């Protein structure tokens, strides 16, 4: 499988600021968060019933999520023999702040936010719909699905399909007994490596030092990932959005809190670690 290189973003950083300004002027037409408030945390290991989970990636109806771009991509795919695919996944997307910012940076890339909370995912869907109506021709490349990413990712993505995965301010699950609920753990990292193409990037950020150390240590110990230096991230537009694009990130910034960022690259071949060395 060839190494994936990120597509060039559509414009400089001020494009993201321009998008924020447009979003602000359209506030009266956007759904109001106060009507979609939900508990801050949910138990991802609960047996709550979810509907509309596809049996496998081929059964996922992406065309209904990206009606405009999907048609254009299908026409292009008919000549290349490849179907259009989602490439970015924001796991635990919250109220969709990161998706909105990414949409204009990578307008040709299909991306999905995955959110466990019903009311919050409904808000994101309505927000995206409102932005599409307010700005025709924009935001057709983003969507949101309500799902449990700890259980159902194999139902949505194929091997090597994704080029970016985002984990912004995940639930820290402070109690030791609840660490198994953390979205970054050794078993799930192996799953993420399966869905990421070689060269794909996995982004993490938190304001909880203990969780930041946990995520970094788990990813550094995994044979399929290597950490990307801060110097290299200077040229990566997506990494600049981690701190303040989400509602949680904006709250941390207002309170002048610290954040702990770590970004990793999916390797083409595993490196030897304590997890992969033969006995």
């Amino acid at each position: 499988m060839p190494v994936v290189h990120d597509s060039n973003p559509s414009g400089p950083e001020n494009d993201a600021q321009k998008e924020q300004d447009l979003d602000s002027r359209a506030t009266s037409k956007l759904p109001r968060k106060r009507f979609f408030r939900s508990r801050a945390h949910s138990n991802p290991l609960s047996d709550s019933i979810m509907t509309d989970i596809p049996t496998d990636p081929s059964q996922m109806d992406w065309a209904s999520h990206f009606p405009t771009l999907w048609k254009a991509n299908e026409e292009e795919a008919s000549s290349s023999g490849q179907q259009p695919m989602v490439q970015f996944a924001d796991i635990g997307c919250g109220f969709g702040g990161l998706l909105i910012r990414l949409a204009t940076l990578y307008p040709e890339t299909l991306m999905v936010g995955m959110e466990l909370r019903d009311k919050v995912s409904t808000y994101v869907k309505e927000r995206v719909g409102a932005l599409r109506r307010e700005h025709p021709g924009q935001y057709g490349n983003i969507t949101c699905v309500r799902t449990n990413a700890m259980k159902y990712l194999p139902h949505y993505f194929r091997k090597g399909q994704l080029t970016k995965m985002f984990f912004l301010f995940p639930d820290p699950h402070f109690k030791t007994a609840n660490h198994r609920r953390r979205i970054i753990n050794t078993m799930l990292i192996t799953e993420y490596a399966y869905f990421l193409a070689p060269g794909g990037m996995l982004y993490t950020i938190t304001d909880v030092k203990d969780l930041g150390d946990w995520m970094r240590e788990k990813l550094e110990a995994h044979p399929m990932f290597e950490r990307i230096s801060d110097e290299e991230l200077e040229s990566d537009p997506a990494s600049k959005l981690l701190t303040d694009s989400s509602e949680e990130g904006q709250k941390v910034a207002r309170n002048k809190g610290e954040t702990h960022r770590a970004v990793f690259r999916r390797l083409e071949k595993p490196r030897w670690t304590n997890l992969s060395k033969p006995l």
Side-chain angles (χ1 to χ4, degrees):
M1 185 181 296
V3 175
V4 170
H5 299 284
D6 290 339
S7 55
N8 290 326
S10 62
E13 279 187 80
N14 59 2
D15 282 353
Q17 184 60 48
K18 181 181 178 182
E19 152 53 25
Q20 281 188 306
D21 295 339
L22 289 172
D23 197 329
S24 298
R25 289 199 292 269
T27 299
S28 61
K29 299 184 180 182
L30 294 175
R32 297 183 179 181
K33 288 180 184 176
R34 61 182 175 140
F35 297 125
F36 297 88
R37 289 295 175 183
S38 180
R39 294 181 61 183
H41 306 298
S42 298
N43 180 6
L45 302 183
S46 69
D47 293 325
S48 58
I49 297 175
M50 289 195 169
T51 58
D52 300 326
I53 302 296
T55 55
D56 63 71
S58 67
Q59 300 302 312
M60 179 60 191
D61 180 20
W62 291 118
S64 64
H65 289 265
F66 309 106
T68 304
L69 284 181
W70 194 266
K71 182 178 180 181
N73 285 345
E74 274 196 324
E75 293 172 354
E76 182 179 330
S78 62
S79 58
S80 66
Q82 296 181 342
Q83 294 299 316
M85 292 191 298
V86 169
Q87 291 183 281
F88 292 4
D90 182 8
I91 308 300
C93 67
F95 289 94
L98 176 65
L99 282 175
I100 302 303
R101 298 280 293 277
L102 288 171
T104 52
L105 272 179
Y106 301 91
E108 302 301 319
T109 301
L110 301 183
M111 53 191 85
V112 62
M114 309 187 108
E115 176 56 47
L116 181 59
R117 295 166 294 174
D118 189 17
K119 288 184 179 180
V120 178
S121 62
T122 300
Y123 169 86
V124 178
K125 293 172 188 176
E126 293 193 13
R127 183 182 185 186
V128 170
L131 287 170
R132 289 176 180 177
R133 292 188 295 272
E134 183 72 15
H135 310 289
Q138 296 187 60
Y139 305 104
N141 59 327
I142 57 174
T143 190
C144 178
V145 296
R146 185 197 175 215
T147 193
N148 187 335
M150 290 187 73
K151 294 182 177 181
Y152 299 122
L153 287 187
H155 295 248
Y156 294 92
F157 306 125
R158 296 180 172 88
K159 180 180 180 180
Q161 175 177 337
L162 300 176
T163 59
K164 291 184 184 294
M165 296 184 76
F166 299 89
F167 299 83
L168 274 59
F169 301 96
D171 191 332
H173 294 293
F174 290 106
K175 295 181 180 179
T176 302
N178 291 335
H179 283 182
R180 62 197 179 99
R181 298 180 184 178
R182 288 180 170 178
I183 194 67
I184 297 293
N185 62 54
T186 301
M187 182 180 70
L188 288 177
I189 293 172
T190 298
E191 197 169 274
Y192 304 150
Y194 179 85
F195 298 122
L196 279 167
M201 299 172 72
L202 188 153
Y203 299 77
T204 70
I205 190 169
T206 179
D207 60 323
V208 180
K209 186 179 185 304
D210 172 70
L211 179 61
D213 292 342
W214 165 285
M215 294 192 293
R216 175 181 49 78
E217 290 168 4
K218 295 294 182 185
L219 283 157
E220 285 179 341
H222 199 281
M224 292 305 298
F225 286 94
E226 67 175 3
R227 187 171 182 183
I228 301 176
S229 68
D230 290 339
E231 290 75 18
E232 185 175 348
L233 289 175
E234 285 298 317
S235 61
D236 175 48
S239 67
K240 296 179 175 62
L241 302 180
L242 302 186
T243 303
D244 62 358
S245 60
S246 68
E247 182 184 64
E248 188 65 29
Q250 292 165 9
K251 186 188 305 180
V252 173
R254 286 195 302 270
N255 295 330
K256 303 186 185 306
E258 293 184 353
T259 57
H260 309 275
R261 181 186 71 174
V263 182
F264 289 78
R265 180 184 292 108
R266 200 278 203 189
L267 298 173
E268 188 166 9
K269 295 181 180 179
R271 56 183 173 79
W272 290 122
T273 69
N274 290 334
L275 289 176
S276 59
K277 288 180 181 178
L279 298 176

